[in-house]
Amino acid sequence: MNLILWRHAEAEALPQMSGFGRQADLQRALTRRGHKQAEASAQWLRTHLPPDTRVLCSPALRSRETAAALAGNAQVTPALAPDSDVSAVLAAIEWPHGPDTVLVGHQPWLGRLASLLLSGTEINWSIRKSGIWWLASRTRENESQTVLRAVIHPEFL
C-alpha cells in the first residue's frame, strides 16, 4: 500500500476574537498562496501517483480545497478532522492492507502518523503546509515494514 500524507496548503488565520470555535476553524479557506501551493503539489502528485489511488480528505474546508486541486472526487472522511488521533486515521484507511491512498489532513496527527509508521513511536514531527510524505508498506522476510519513498517540500515544486 502506498500512503501519501499531504498537509493542507496555507489557509486563512482563525480570527483572534473570542467566541470562534471548532466550526469556525473547519470553515477556514485557502489563501491565494495556499491555492498556488495546492496546485503545485497536485501537479507533482498527478505525475507520480499510481492509477486508481483514492484521495481522502478532512471535512475542513482548507483540506477539501487542497484535495480538489488533485481530485474532484476526494472522499470527505470525518476520521481525518483536525482533532483526530492516529489510531482513528489508521482504522479509516485500513493500513497497511488498504488501497493506495492520499490523505489530505492536518498537524499534529499527520506528523504523529508519519513518526509512528517510520519509527514505531508517536512523536510530534512537523510536516509543512502543502508538504508531501510518501510512505509504502511492504513485507520482507515475513516482517512488515514501512518505507519512506519521498518527502517533498512545497517550496521545491
Side-chain angles (χ1 to χ4, degrees), residues 7 11 13 19 21 25 35 38 49 51 59 62 71 73-74 95 97 105 121 131 135 143-144 146:
R7 185 173 178 196
D25 179 52
H35 282 285
L49 286 176
R62 59 193 180 274
N73 62 345
W95 176 265
H97 305 292
T121 304
L135 311 174
E143 180 182 338
S144 295
T146 301

Side-chain angles (χ1 to χ4, degrees), residues 1 54 56 88-99 101:
M1 173 181 187
R54 69 179 173 172
L56 307 180
V89 173
L90 288 172
I93 65 170
E94 304 168 56
W95 176 265
H97 305 292
T101 302

Side-chain angles (χ1 to χ4, degrees), residues 56-124:
L56 307 180
C57 68
S58 158
L61 178 58
R62 59 193 180 274
S63 294
R64 290 183 285 133
E65 288 180 331
T66 300
L70 176 63
N73 62 345
Q75 180 181 340
V76 175
T77 307
L80 307 183
D83 56 357
S84 291
D85 63 44
V86 170
S87 60
V89 173
L90 288 172
I93 65 170
E94 304 168 56
W95 176 265
H97 305 292
D100 293 337
T101 302
V102 174
L103 295 182
V104 184
H106 309 273
Q107 283 294 96
W109 68 255
L110 276 170
R112 290 178 182 164
L113 177 60
S115 74
L116 178 64
L117 295 179
L118 291 169
S119 75
T121 304
E122 274 191 51
I123 304 169
N124 289 325

Side-chain angles (χ1 to χ4, degrees), residues 38-57:
E39 186 52 47
S41 294
Q43 183 176 355
W44 185 88
L45 285 166
R46 277 192 291 276
T47 63
H48 293 89
L49 286 176
D52 301 321
T53 299
R54 69 179 173 172
V55 179
L56 307 180
C57 68

